[in-house]
Amino acid sequence: MTDYTHNPFASTHSLDTNPFDDPVTPTQHQSQPSPAEANRLDEIRRREADLERRERELNAKAENIRHHGKANWPPFFPLIFHSIKDEIPEASQPLITRLYQLWLVLLLTLIINMVACIFILLAGGEEAGRDLGASIGYMFLIGALSFLLWYRPIYNGYMKDHWRPKVCPSPSPREKIVLIAPLSTGAAGLIRTIQMFVKHYWAAAVLGLVATVGWIIQGLGNAYYYREIYNHHTAAGHTMEKAKAELATHGAKAYFTRG
């Protein structure tokens, strides 16, 4: 009787299942990645995280510049934007940092030179008044022009990867003159320092000695960095012909601006 009452058209599948689904197969054991593959995946994740971090830092810097403006130097009265970390390629940052430090040494030397000239005047040095007047002029004139016509063009050159042959630091007669320091040159250099030591004016002598050391550092530093910058630009393929072409195309403004 059972065979006669059985419905041959009845489905053996539940109505809750989709007949078009792939057939269910027994669960297979999922293979674990090998140690080498796991290390590779970790390295990829680490690089992705590092790229995201750098992108956040760059965005934060750009946002800071947008909000606060580009002028941040000098700190007491910002006139220009100066940031070696943000504008100079990473490979050139140590060189530009040392050039900036050399310029700061020059500024400090000019100040010490002026103070030494004051003490030389108090010691009754010959033509000390002229030296003091000239030293005050040096402090403002050389301090400003050395930044605008020496350091800043080199800074801009490395920022834009241009060749700046006219403004590369090089030994100049200025270091030689102020180092020897004849009378009425505005420098408390070697001659003035010896005079003060002979006359036992110790304050003027010591300050003159410090100023003399500063001029020596300037001369040696300029000679060294002239060679470094020249070698760098020569290796990069920059030539005098390219510099002349740039000058003809952009004019003198290209040597002293950031654009």
Side-chain angles (χ1 to χ4, degrees):
M1 293 295 292
T2 304
D3 293 337
Y4 292 104
T5 59
H6 177 69
N7 184 0
F9 300 101
S11 175
T12 58
H13 297 283
S14 171
L15 294 177
D16 296 331
T17 61
N18 186 348
F20 299 102
D21 285 342
D22 293 335
V24 178
T25 57
T27 304
Q28 297 180 349
H29 176 68
Q30 186 177 3
S31 61
Q32 297 294 328
S34 64
E37 186 176 357
N39 292 335
R40 184 175 65 84
L41 292 174
D42 290 340
E43 179 66 17
I44 291 175
R45 294 190 191 98
R46 187 188 65 79
R47 291 182 179 180
E48 289 178 349
D50 187 55
L51 289 175
E52 291 177 357
R53 178 184 59 81
R54 293 183 181 181
E55 184 178 3
R56 288 194 301 269
E57 290 178 353
L58 291 174
N59 290 337
K61 290 176 182 177
E63 190 69 14
N64 181 70
I65 292 175
R66 187 175 70 85
H67 279 293
H68 301 288
K70 292 188 175 182
N72 66 348
W73 195 96
F76 56 86
F77 190 74
L79 295 173
I80 61 174
F81 181 75
H82 177 268
S83 178
I84 296 174
K85 181 179 179 182
D86 294 330
E87 293 196 304
I88 303 300
E90 186 175 356
S92 301
Q93 287 180 10
L95 174 62
I96 299 302
T97 299
R98 291 193 295 270
L99 280 175
Y100 182 59
Q101 292 169 347
L102 184 63
W103 179 80
L104 291 176
V105 171
L106 171 61
L107 199 62
L108 181 62
T109 301
L110 290 169
I111 295 173
I112 294 175
N113 179 74
M114 183 198 68
V115 177
C117 287
I118 294 175
F119 278 87
I120 291 173
L121 177 63
L122 296 176
E126 183 181 354
E127 298 185 7
R130 293 183 179 179
D131 283 330
L132 177 58
S135 68
I136 295 173
Y138 288 166
M139 187 174 61
F140 292 101
L141 188 63
I142 295 178
L145 292 182
S146 61
F147 184 89
L148 296 175
L149 302 181
W150 172 70
Y151 169 74
R152 190 64 179 181
I154 297 172
Y155 178 99
N156 291 341
Y158 272 84
M159 179 182 65
K160 296 184 290 186
D161 195 25
H162 287 179
W163 170 226
R164 310 285 189 184
K166 299 297 184 181
V167 291
C168 268
S170 60
S172 66
R174 183 197 68 198
E175 280 81 15
K176 299 175 183 178
I177 293 174
V178 295
L179 174 61
I180 299 174
L183 301 182
S184 301
T185 57
L190 193 59
I191 293 177
R192 285 293 197 184
T193 300
I194 294 175
Q195 289 177 345
M196 294 299 104
F197 272 115
V198 170
K199 296 180 179 179
H200 299 164
Y201 292 110
W202 303 116
V206 171
L207 288 170
L209 181 62
V210 174
T212 301
V213 172
W215 297 125
I216 293 174
I217 293 174
Q218 287 299 308
L220 295 178
N222 284 340
Y224 174 78
Y225 288 118
Y226 175 84
R227 183 174 61 87
E228 288 290 304
I229 294 174
Y230 181 84
N231 291 340
H232 168 80
H233 283 19
T234 301
H238 298 287
T239 62
M240 185 65 69
E241 287 70 24
K242 289 184 179 181
K244 292 179 179 178
E246 178 185 320
L247 183 62
T249 303
H250 303 286
K253 183 180 179 181
Y255 281 77
F256 306 105
T257 63
R258 303 173 66 251

